[in-house]
Amino acid sequence: MATQMIILNGGSSSGKSGIVRCLQDVLPDPWLAFGCDSLVDAMPAKMQTSDEGIVFAADGRVNVGSDFMALQAAWMEGVVATARAGARIIIDDVFLGGAASQQRWQKALGALTVLWVGVRCDGSVAAGREIARGDRARGMAASQAEAVHEGVSYDLEVDTTHAESLECARIISAYVG
């Protein structure tokens, strides 16, 4: 069966968003893109100051609470329902919980055909991108570079340390067929 969803997992500033934009350009069919950043942006501002929500610490750590987890689960179910309705979906995510994050997606996905893609980037390169972006707490990229991949199983991995987003998107697109 044809791939219905592509889920990219990688640390902050690893290049996932650039790959997603390139994928939307190189894949022959239209694909919708959703990401964890847009989920956080959709949440009430007060959730970013509450231990029950999501807290971005000054040193780059990210802590999530029960309210965030509940909204994330509902969001996942909604994205999966959109895929079941016939839309092809690309997800840009950061598995803060490693394998447990992948398991939450697997629970929501059911029998959908998914391509799991690990987006790797050397922590020092991601940290440089983080500084250039200016919209992330310093330390987030380095702390997430390897941690988000712990225990996660992929169909395919790309490394943006030296490869451009378009090159990675072409590799993924070829895998999708």
Side-chain angles (χ1 to χ4, degrees), residues 66-124:
S66 60
D67 289 348
F68 176 88
M69 297 297 286
L71 287 175
Q72 182 188 46
W75 174 76
M76 287 176 168
E77 292 289 340
V79 169
V80 169
T82 303
R84 286 193 182 114
R88 290 182 169 198
I89 309 279
I90 305 167
I91 297 293
D92 166 351
D93 207 342
V94 178
F95 290 0
L96 294 173
S101 297
Q102 186 177 37
Q103 290 166 359
R104 282 192 294 279
W105 268 114
Q106 288 168 328
K107 179 182 176 192
L109 291 162
L112 286 180
T113 304
V114 178
L115 176 64
W116 297 94
V117 180
V119 179
R120 295 193 179 267
C121 183
D122 179 83
S124 63

Side-chain angles (χ1 to χ4, degrees), residues 16-48:
K16 298 178 307 298
S17 298
I19 292 172
V20 169
R21 286 188 298 276
C22 290
L23 272 170
Q24 288 181 301
D25 187 59
V26 301
L27 288 166
D29 298 316
W31 288 70
L32 296 175
F34 299 103
C36 56
D37 288 345
S38 57
L39 169 64
V40 171
D41 290 344
M43 293 182 177
K46 65 183 177 182
M47 284 193 62
Q48 292 191 26

